[in-house]
């Protein structure tokens, strides 16, 4: 059986398919090798697909499941938010997606590529070429200027973007020669975003990017992330415990106790300026 | 157990590597401070014990006319005298193999100057003799054999003895032959048919209670000598310092003591500095914990106690381990090296608690105090502030960037490396000091060996040009060789040195036999000249000549006649080119043949003792380098875990991450090596002049291979430590390091 679909992202493809069948997507024929059961829908393979992901941490005789059968999909070029209370397993999901952590069971694919069996070296190469990270505490190298921090990531990537231009894009063209300590929190986070973007990544993963910032500054950063997603077509994933900011996302994945509670699509995301928390 | 103490014990267990490295580094510091000084003390003590057990003389009196019973009684009643022993001695020629040599004979002693029987038995009749082992060996003699001494009836050998007078190979000077005593022997007193005693040996009351290998003894000894000289002005009075061997034994321990001040100080300082860095780093890491304890209401004293206990415990353990190893191993190794030079009984190795206590107390106190200071510094803030992360050290432009010529030439990674090196100045300087210190110590050790080894080579190839020195009783009818020079050699005591005066028959020919340069006149060798004021025998010195072994004065025959008012009758011949040693020795006018090649080998053998000292230095320097580099590299990694985790997240492979750090280490190491090679040249020069012995001048010579070897070893250690810490780098957990602010 060949199922036909034309809509590739933005809204979930509500098509009933079975494993082992073919799906014609935007005129291309795809083979479905994994079906993710989620929210009562059979869901076709997305750009990012988590299926039954289990991550178990062992310490001493105890084992803790930080992710306990997580399944969801994310669409390419969209802005997604992973929300949930602290300790729910959001960061675990992000770390796995970013190639910083491995999984115990299940499978993770990004752009059709299986991350599960990657070696340490291959995961490193994946981080280098496909992923950009933004952290709550920026994690800039204190001893390098804004420009040099960006160069640090462009240095190791072949088709990197021009660091100067990226810094200009995030609105820091006049702060390139400043050290992190000479920049405000918001500015530091912009440098961090520029550093992630300079690698021209497919995925931009942000772990509580506004966590250390004040309200207004935080909004500015979210706006920047959203604009980046729309203008450059980068797949952006933001982790937050603040569900107030979810209305701006295309898709919201709620996680609780290591499990996906719900996946909600948002056909009309609210502009950041209109959100209040 | 109180929770804080439990916490402390767990901390030690958790940070085993750091705790052990603190122990090791303190151990190395205290070991080097205590070890060398302990060797000095042990060597002096064994001298003191031996001299006292032998009832060794303090004052020795000789007289041209001998001593009567009345003289002996007079001396015995002199104030301060504890015991007097009148006795006989006489130097006589003996035939050993084909050679005629001078032998010093003494009467078997009474209560003073105890000898030790090493085999057989002592002479019981006037026609019996006990000789030294060396004579037995070189003369291929056995107990029961007969020996003939000029002026005596033949003797039968009853045994071998060692004499308290001779603690080195040197047997002293004589008026016979070439001026050198070759062997000693002991006779029954009745063998001497003298009407008077030839020698008086005296022990002073005071010397029985003072340490006999000490400056105190030397000073007292000079006093006794002077007072005897005042009372008995016609006698020839000498003390132990006039017997070169006793004096040089004391001097050698003084030299060792000097090395023992300089070397270990370097070690100790580096050890203390590294422990300080480690402890202040530990307190820094525990900032949050300190905040928690403070918030829980623990007193500052009890919080500080945790870290102080950690520091004091590691310092104390290391310090005491160092004391025991140092005071046991070092004296044995060092005295073993000196056993080539001095014949002394085995040392005892008690712990020198004075110095040991000082070393450990200094280490523990300095580390303890700094720990308390850094903890109290860290505790200044409110608990809430402490529990928040400390703001990271801000980045800065480095001076280097202001020189665009260099800066623009650096690639991106080069710039990052330059900035990082200057950012962590403290650790940068510590690493620099560590590597430089190690390289300098290595170069000194290798250079010491070069210098000592080159003594024989330099002296016997560059200075001595003749192939044999033949001692003669009178000028032969036919010359020995077509290239020969008659000389007169005499010995004299000048400025405490035993000096050979060489008077060639034709001074202008001397240059081709001994490299004395082209100046003719009164020539004095280098080291002797240093202790003279430009004149000798009241004449101005015309030139100072290069020389490494022994001391010489060269003068033309006219000057000799002028000074001593007698003819310089030749008693030796310098020969160049081929000669037949056997034929020469058999010649009726020849007394002895000294072959240059043999002398060269002999000196070479004796300098091998220095090899031991060299090896000790090399091992110590390597251990120091390794521990210091390891500690600093580990601190570097832990301090920058977050930074390293960040670049790993950015996608730096493990090797790239390692190179990010190693590049800095490598630059600092190379700088340290350069500095160390430079400093090592000076350190070697200093050490060389401290360890020189009287008869030798060590040339300050360091082979190119030693520079290469010292640099290569330091580099190897640095690379090795980097490789050893690679796993630690690879194991950095990105998720954990970036989750919270540390």
């Amino acid at each position: 059986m060949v199922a036909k679909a034309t809509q590739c992202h933005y809204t979930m493809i509500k098509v009933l398919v079975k494993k082992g069948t073919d799906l014609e997507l935007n005129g291309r024929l795809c083979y479905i090798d994994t079906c993710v059961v989620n929210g009562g829908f059979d869901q076709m393979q997305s750009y990012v697909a988590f299926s039954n992901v289990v991550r178990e941490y062992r310490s001493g005789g105890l084992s803790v499941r930080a992710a306990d059968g997580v399944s969801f999909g994310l669409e390419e070029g969209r802005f997604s938010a992973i929300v949930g209370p602290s300790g729910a397993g959001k960061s675990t999901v992000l770390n796995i997606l970013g190639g910083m952590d491995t999984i115990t069971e299940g499978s993770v694919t990004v752009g059709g590529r299986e991350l599960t069996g990657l070696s340490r070296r291959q995961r490193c190469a994946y981080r280098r070429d496909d992923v950009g990270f933004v952290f709550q505490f920026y994690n800039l190298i204190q001893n390098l200027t804004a420009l040099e921090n960006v160069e640090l990531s462009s240095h190791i990537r072949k088709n990197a973007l021009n660091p100067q231009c990226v810094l200009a894009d995030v609105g820091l063209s006049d702060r390139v020669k400043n050290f992190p300590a000479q920049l405000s929190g918001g500015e530091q986070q912009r440098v961090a975003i520029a550093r992630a973007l300079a690698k021209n990544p497919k995925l931009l993963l942000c772990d509580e990017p506004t966590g250390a910032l004040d309200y207004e500054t935080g909004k500015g950063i979210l706006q920047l992330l959203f604009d980046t997603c729309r203008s450059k077509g980068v797949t952006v994933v933001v982790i937050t415990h603040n569900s107030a900011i979810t209305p701006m996302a295309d898709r919201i994945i709620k996680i609780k106790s290591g499990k996906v509670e719900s996946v909600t699509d948002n056909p009309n995301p609210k502009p950041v300026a209109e959100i209040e928390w | 157990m109180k929770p804080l103490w439990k916490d402390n014990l767990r901390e030690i267990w958790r940070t085993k590597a750091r705790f052990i490295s603190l122990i090791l580094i303190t151990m190395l510091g205290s070991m080097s401070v205590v070890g060398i000084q302990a060797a000095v003390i042990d060597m002096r003590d064994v001298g003191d014990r031996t001299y006292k057990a032998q009832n060794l003389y303090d004052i020795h009196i000789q007289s041209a006319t001998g001593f009567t019973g009345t003289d002996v009684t007079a001396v015995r009643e002199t104030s301060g005298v504890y015991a007097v022993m009148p006795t006989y001695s006489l130097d006589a020629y003996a035939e050993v193999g084909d050679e005629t040599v001078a032998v010093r004979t003494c009467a078997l002693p009474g209560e003073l100057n105890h000898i030790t029987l090493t085999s057989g038995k002592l002479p019981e009749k006037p026609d019996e003799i006990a000789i030294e082992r060396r004579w037995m060996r070189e003369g291929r003699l056995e107990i029961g054999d007969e020996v003939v001494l000029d002026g005596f009836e033949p003797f039968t050998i009853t045994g071998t003895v060692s004499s308290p007078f001779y603690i080195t190979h040197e047997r002293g000077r004589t008026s016979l032959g070439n001026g050198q005593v070759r062997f000693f022997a002991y006779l029954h007193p009745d063998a001497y048919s003298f009407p008077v005693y030839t020698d008086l040996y005296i022990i002073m009351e005071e010397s029985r209670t003072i340490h006999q290998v000490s400056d105190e003894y030397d000073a007292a000894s000079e006093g006794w000598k002077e007072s005897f000289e005042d009372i008995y002005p016609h006698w020839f009075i000498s003390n132990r310092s006039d017997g070169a061997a006793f004096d040089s034994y004391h001097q050698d321990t003084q030299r060792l003591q000097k090395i023992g001040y300089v070397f270990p100080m370097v070690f100790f300082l580096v050890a203390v500095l590294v422990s300080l860095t480690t402890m202040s780093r530990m307190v820094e890491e525990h900032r949050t914990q300190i905040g928690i304890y403070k918030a829980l209401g623990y007193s500052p004293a009890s919080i500080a106690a945790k870290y102080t206990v950690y520091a004091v415990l590691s310092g104390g353990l290391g310090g005491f381990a160092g004391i025991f190893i140092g005071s046991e191993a070092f004296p044995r190794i060092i005295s073993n090296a000196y056993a080539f030079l001095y014949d002394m009984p085995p040392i005892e190795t008690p712990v020198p608690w004075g110095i040991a206590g000082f070393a450990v107390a200094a280490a523990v106190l300095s580390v303890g105090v700094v720990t308390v200071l850094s903890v109290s510094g860290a505790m200044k803030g409110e608990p809430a502030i402490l529990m928040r992360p400390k703001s990271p050290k801000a980045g800065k432009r480095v001076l280097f960037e202001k020189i665009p010529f260099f800066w623009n030439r650096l690639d991106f990674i080069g710039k990052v490396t330059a900035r990082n090196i200057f950012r962590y100045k403290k650790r940068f300087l510590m690493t620099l000091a560590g590597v430089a210190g190690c390289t300098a110590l290595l170069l000194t050790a290798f250079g010491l060996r070069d210098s000592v080894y080159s003594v024989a080579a330099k002296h016997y190839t560059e200075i001595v040009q003749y192939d044999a020195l033949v001692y003669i009783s009178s000028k032969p009818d036919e010359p020995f060789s077509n290239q020969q020079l008659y000389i007169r050699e005499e010995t004299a005591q000048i400025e405490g040195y035993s000096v050979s005066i060489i008077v060639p028959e034709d001074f202008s020919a001397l240059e081709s036999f001994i490299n004395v340069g082209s100046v003719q006149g009164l020539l004095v060798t280098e080291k002797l000249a240093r202790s003279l004021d430009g004149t000798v025998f009241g004449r101005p010195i015309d030139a100072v000549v290069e020389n490494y072994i022994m001391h010489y004065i060269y003068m033309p025959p006219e000057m000799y006649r002028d000074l001593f008012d007698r003819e310089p009758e030749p008693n030796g011949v310098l020969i160049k080119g081929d000669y037949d040693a056997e034929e020469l020795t058999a010649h009726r006018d020849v007394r002895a043949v000294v072959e240059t090649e043999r002398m060269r080998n002999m000196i070479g053998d004796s300098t091998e003792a220095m090899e031991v000292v060299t090896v000790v230095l090399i091992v110590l320097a390597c251990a120091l380098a390794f521990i210091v580099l390891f500690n600093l590299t580990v601190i570097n990694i832990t301090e920058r875990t977050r930074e390293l985790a960040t670049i790993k997240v950015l996608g730096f492979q493990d090797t790239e991450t390692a190179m990010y750090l190693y590049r800095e280490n490598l630059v600092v190491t190379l700088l340290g090596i350069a500095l160390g090679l430079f400093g090592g040249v000076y350190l070697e020069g200093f050490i060389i002049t401290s360890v020189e012995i009287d008869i030798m001048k060590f040339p300050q010579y360091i082979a190119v291979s030693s520079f290469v070897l010292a640099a290569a070893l330091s580099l190897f250690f640095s690379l090795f430590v980097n490789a050893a810490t690679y796993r630690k780098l690879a194991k950095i957990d990105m998720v954990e390091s970036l989750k919270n602010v540390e």
Side-chain angles (χ1 to χ4, degrees):
Chain A
M1 171 197 146
V2 177
K4 284 200 178 181
T6 47
Q7 185 64 284
C8 70
H9 42 243
Y10 196 44
T11 44
M12 191 183 288
I13 306 158
K14 291 176 184 171
V15 161
L16 280 170
V17 288
K18 278 187 188 146
K19 189 173 174 184
T21 54
D22 293 316
L23 171 71
E24 197 188 298
L25 182 64
N26 286 349
R28 274 169 61 204
L29 197 65
C30 306
Y31 175 75
I32 299 175
D33 65 354
T34 315
C35 290
V36 181
V37 180
N38 206 312
F41 294 104
D42 261 0
Q43 180 193 333
M44 60 140 290
Q45 182 136 10
S46 315
Y47 180 65
V48 171
F50 270 57
S51 91
N52 289 315
V53 170
V54 174
R55 178 60 170 116
E56 213 167 55
Y57 293 102
R58 281 170 208 281
S59 64
L62 289 169
S63 70
V64 178
R65 287 200 165 192
D68 188 9
V70 172
S71 301
F72 64 86
L74 300 175
E75 303 307 326
E76 192 172 11
R78 297 289 108 182
F79 190 104
S80 307
I82 300 178
V83 293
S86 55
K90 313 185 289 287
S91 293
T92 306
V93 166
L94 194 81
N95 293 334
I96 290 167
L97 182 53
M100 276 159 53
D101 204 350
T102 53
I103 60 175
T104 318
E105 274 174 40
S107 109
V108 176
T109 58
V110 174
R113 184 182 183 199
E114 182 67 55
L115 292 191
T116 325
L118 295 188
S119 70
R120 195 183 159 78
R121 246 196 113 71
Q122 286 168 323
R123 271 191 291 127
C124 189
Y126 164 71
R127 286 200 299 274
R128 173 188 296 223
D129 296 330
D130 297 344
V131 186
F133 276 101
V134 175
F135 298 96
Q136 180 178 1
F137 295 107
Y138 334 128
N139 284 323
L140 296 178
I141 310 285
Q142 294 296 317
N143 203 31
L144 299 180
T145 61
L147 179 62
E148 287 161 350
N149 261 288
V150 178
E151 285 175 335
L152 193 64
S153 74
S154 64
H155 176 73
I156 53 167
R157 177 87 158 95
K158 271 199 192 84
N159 38 359
L161 305 177
N162 183 323
Q164 295 268 15
C165 301
V166 182
L167 274 169
D169 285 350
V170 299
L172 286 176
S173 45
D174 53 345
R175 308 306 300 266
V176 289
K177 287 201 166 166
N178 285 97
F179 286 99
Q182 297 166 323
L183 300 172
S184 70
E187 286 171 326
Q188 289 189 53
Q189 194 61 298
R190 280 166 194 274
V191 177
I193 293 170
R195 184 175 68 184
L197 290 177
K199 287 201 295 189
N200 200 6
K202 297 194 180 96
L203 274 173
L204 182 62
L205 306 179
C206 313
D207 193 349
E208 300 278 4
T210 62
L213 300 172
D214 62 68
Y215 183 77
E216 280 305 324
T217 317
K219 273 191 167 180
I221 293 296
L222 287 174
Q223 185 67 55
L224 173 64
L225 292 173
F226 190 82
D227 293 347
T228 305
C229 172
R230 285 289 183 268
S231 63
K232 296 190 176 10
V234 180
T235 310
V236 176
V237 183
V238 172
I239 277 191
T240 179
H241 66 278
N242 180 4
S243 43
I245 62 174
T246 52
M248 67 176 286
D250 295 318
R251 176 172 293 179
I252 300 107
I253 292 146
K254 281 197 179 146
I255 293 191
K256 201 175 171 185
S257 308
K259 289 187 165 70
V260 174
E261 200 181 41
S262 69
V263 177
T264 319
D265 275 351
N266 192 3
N268 300 303
K270 259 193 192 175
V272 178
E274 291 174 22
I275 299 175
E276 287 193 15
W277 65 82
Chain B
M1 207 177 349
K2 284 183 187 171
L4 209 60
W5 287 94
K6 262 189 209 164
D7 183 20
N8 207 355
L9 284 179
R10 291 213 182 114
E11 181 66 32
I12 292 173
W13 180 247
R14 201 174 63 78
T15 58
K16 293 179 283 292
R18 172 161 60 198
F19 196 71
I20 291 170
S21 78
L22 274 177
I23 290 181
L24 286 180
I25 202 150
T26 330
M27 184 180 96
L28 211 59
S30 84
M31 195 162 88
S32 59
V33 169
V34 174
I36 298 182
Q37 296 301 338
V40 172
I41 293 170
D42 294 347
M43 284 172 67
R44 286 183 180 168
D45 284 352
V46 75
D48 178 53
R49 266 200 311 278
T50 309
Y51 299 159
K52 281 177 177 158
Q54 289 167 338
N55 273 353
L56 188 65
Y57 73 95
D58 294 312
I59 296 292
H60 176 201
I61 308 180
Q62 286 168 298
S63 156
T65 53
F67 307 98
T68 61
T70 327
D71 293 328
V72 176
T73 313
V75 170
R76 188 162 284 141
E77 280 161 11
T78 309
S79 81
V81 170
Y82 172 72
V84 181
M85 184 184 78
T87 186
Y88 308 103
S89 73
L90 183 71
D91 295 346
Y93 285 120
E95 302 291 331
V96 176
D98 300 332
E99 262 182 276
T100 305
V101 300
V103 172
R104 172 152 302 156
T105 73
C106 302
L108 287 175
E111 52 180 322
L112 270 66
N113 308 333
H114 296 168
I115 58 172
T116 312
L117 186 68
T118 48
S119 70
K121 57 189 186 64
L122 291 175
E124 284 163 356
K125 289 182 282 182
D127 63 347
E128 290 181 335
I129 190 168
I131 66 174
E132 69 167 301
R133 249 188 306 194
R134 204 161 79 179
W135 186 2
M136 206 75 147
R137 196 173 57 235
E138 288 181 27
R140 292 196 191 84
L141 296 168
E142 279 172 30
I143 292 172
D145 283 356
E146 192 174 84
V147 289
V148 179
L149 290 176
D150 227 16
F152 290 95
E153 293 295 311
F155 291 100
T156 309
I157 301 170
T158 60
T160 56
V161 287
S162 66
S163 163
F165 298 144
Y166 307 111
I167 57 171
T168 64
H169 295 300
E170 187 73 20
R171 291 288 175 262
R173 299 263 152 187
T174 175
S175 52
L176 302 182
N178 65 355
Q180 295 273 5
V181 174
R182 186 74 177 274
F183 303 123
F184 67 80
Y186 277 87
L187 306 179
H188 192 273
D190 293 346
Y192 300 93
S193 46
F194 300 149
V196 285
Y197 295 111
T198 55
D199 303 78
L200 294 183
Y201 287 98
I202 298 159
I203 289 184
M204 304 301 291
E205 188 69 51
E206 196 187 346
S207 84
R208 285 157 29 89
T209 53
I210 58 179
H211 198 291
Q212 298 197 354
V213 187
S214 65
D215 293 338
E216 189 191 2
Y217 178 85
D218 288 355
S221 173
E222 286 306 309
W224 304 325
K225 185 179 169 184
E226 276 167 32
S227 60
F228 274 102
E229 278 168 345
D230 289 345
I231 308 170
Y232 308 103
H234 296 298
W235 292 348
F236 180 72
I237 320 253
S238 55
N239 58 14
R240 276 189 217 164
S241 300
D242 297 318
F246 298 116
D247 201 36
S248 71
Y249 186 73
H250 185 206
Q251 281 185 21
D252 277 353
T253 63
Q254 281 175 324
R255 280 188 198 101
L256 200 57
Q257 199 173 24
K258 266 190 258 171
I259 301 178
Y261 287 137
V262 185
F263 261 101
M265 276 308 135
V266 179
F267 273 82
F268 196 69
L269 278 179
V270 174
V272 169
L273 280 177
V274 173
S275 334
L276 296 185
T277 317
T278 310
M279 281 319 293
S280 53
R281 170 63 201 158
M282 179 177 169
V283 171
E284 197 104 302
E285 273 172 33
H286 283 225
R287 196 180 133 93
T288 323
Q289 274 197 37
I290 292 172
I292 293 168
Y293 275 120
K294 212 179 162 189
L296 287 174
Y298 278 87
S299 72
S302 59
I303 299 171
K306 173 183 168 177
Y307 302 95
T308 316
V309 164
Y310 190 97
V312 167
L313 202 62
S314 59
L317 282 175
F320 280 103
I323 288 174
F324 290 112
I325 298 173
S327 62
E328 184 63 30
F330 275 54
R332 292 201 191 282
I333 295 168
I334 293 172
S335 72
N336 201 28
Y338 277 94
F340 286 92
L341 296 173
Y342 299 105
D343 186 16
M344 279 281 177
I347 52 158
E348 283 170 26
T349 54
V351 173
W353 283 112
I355 295 158
F358 172 77
V360 170
V364 165
L365 265 181
S366 54
V367 177
V369 165
V370 167
T371 308
V372 171
L373 285 181
S374 44
V375 176
S376 60
M379 275 190 303
K380 276 221 180 82
E382 288 300 313
I385 294 167
L386 286 179
M387 282 189 282
R388 273 212 303 271
K390 195 180 181 181
S391 54
K393 203 175 165 194
K396 270 206 306 254
R397 273 173 214 293
V398 294
L399 189 68
F400 218 45
E401 288 177 61
K402 296 185 180 141
I403 313 165
F405 180 77
F406 292 113
W407 192 251
N408 295 338
R409 256 151 232 258
L410 287 176
D411 65 350
F412 173 69
I413 286 290
K415 285 175 187 170
V416 173
T417 305
R419 268 254 191 76
N420 279 338
I421 287 173
F422 288 105
R423 181 177 186 207
Y424 302 96
K425 281 193 202 66
K426 198 164 76 180
R427 199 183 46 246
F428 163 73
L429 288 175
M430 297 280 307
T431 315
L432 195 70
V435 177
C438 157
T439 314
L441 290 174
L442 284 173
L443 186 67
T444 304
F446 289 127
L448 218 55
R449 203 184 49 176
D450 291 338
S451 292
V452 171
Y453 271 136
S454 66
V455 165
K458 266 184 126 64
H459 189 79
Y460 290 105
T461 55
E462 291 177 21
I463 310 299
V464 172
Q465 304 296 315
Y466 61 82
D467 295 304
L469 165 57
V470 182
Y471 287 104
I472 50 170
S473 42
S474 59
K475 262 194 180 184
D477 303 330
E478 294 278 316
F480 295 129
S481 155
N482 51 5
Q483 266 187 295
Q484 68 167 50
L485 175 66
Y486 285 109
I487 58 159
R488 166 130 196 117
E489 186 190 6
E490 282 182 21
T491 57
Q493 289 289 325
I494 298 168
E495 294 293 321
Y497 292 127
S498 156
V499 180
S500 292
I501 300 165
I502 307 258
V503 186
E505 194 170 54
D506 173 12
F507 202 97
S508 58
L510 183 63
E511 199 190 340
S512 62
F513 290 88
I514 300 169
N515 192 1
V516 292
S518 50
V519 179
Q520 301 203 9
L522 185 59
L523 311 182
V524 175
T525 52
E526 249 177 321
K527 201 170 163 182
L528 175 62
R530 261 190 260 151
S531 51
L532 297 171
D533 57 355
T535 63
V536 66
F537 302 124
R539 299 284 175 100
I541 296 168
D542 292 310
V544 174
V545 296
E546 200 181 341
N547 188 74
Y548 298 100
I549 298 172
M550 315 287 279
H551 309 282
Y552 295 94
I553 292 175
Y554 304 98
M555 65 172 73
E558 315 81 66
M559 191 183 286
Y560 181 89
R561 277 184 215 105
D562 223 31
L563 278 171
F564 304 107
D565 205 21
R566 58 173 185 254
E567 255 327 287
E569 279 301 328
N571 59 358
V573 191
L574 304 178
I575 295 179
K576 262 177 105 167
D578 287 339
Y579 60 90
D580 184 338
E582 267 181 46
E583 196 178 294
L584 274 177
T585 330
H587 196 283
R588 69 182 164 87
D589 295 320
V590 171
R591 292 221 311 266
V593 179
V594 180
E595 291 172 88
T596 303
E597 190 56 35
R598 260 186 61 196
M599 288 301 288
R600 183 185 166 154
N601 294 340
M602 230 171 71
I603 301 278
D605 287 349
S606 77
T607 51
E608 249 161 58
M610 284 303 287
E611 184 85 4
V612 177
V613 178
T614 312
V615 170
V616 170
L617 288 180
I618 291 172
V619 170
L620 278 180
C622 291
L624 180 79
F626 186 75
I627 300 176
V628 167
L629 285 172
F630 189 79
N631 238 8
L632 293 171
T633 310
V634 168
I635 291 178
N636 195 3
I637 293 172
T638 54
E639 241 177 38
R640 295 165 68 184
T641 304
R642 206 179 169 74
E643 179 178 336
L644 295 168
T646 305
I647 64 167
K648 280 176 91 163
V649 170
L650 287 178
F652 278 63
Q653 294 282 5
D654 286 343
T655 44
E656 290 169 328
T657 312
M659 279 316 291
Y660 178 81
L661 210 63
Y662 293 171
R663 224 176 263 112
E664 294 166 29
N665 293 349
L666 200 66
V667 170
V668 180
T669 301
L670 291 177
L671 280 176
I673 288 174
L675 201 69
L677 291 180
F678 196 70
V681 173
Y682 286 92
L683 190 62
E684 203 252 3
F686 175 80
I687 298 289
I688 270 292
T689 46
S690 311
V691 300
E692 257 179 1
I693 50 176
D694 273 351
I695 60 157
M696 290 189 194
K697 175 190 172 292
F698 290 137
Q700 213 215 327
Y701 161 72
I702 305 175
V704 176
S705 62
S706 296
F707 281 97
V708 174
L709 208 59
L713 266 178
S714 295
L715 191 64
F716 168 77
F717 274 110
S718 177
L719 295 178
F720 185 80
V721 166
N722 281 340
T725 48
Y726 180 82
R727 250 171 57 86
K728 212 176 162 62
L729 272 179
K731 264 170 50 186
I732 289 178
D733 185 343
M734 287 171 282
V735 178
E736 283 303 312
S737 328
L738 297 177
K739 193 155 57 180
N740 303 303
V741 180
E742 48 188 10

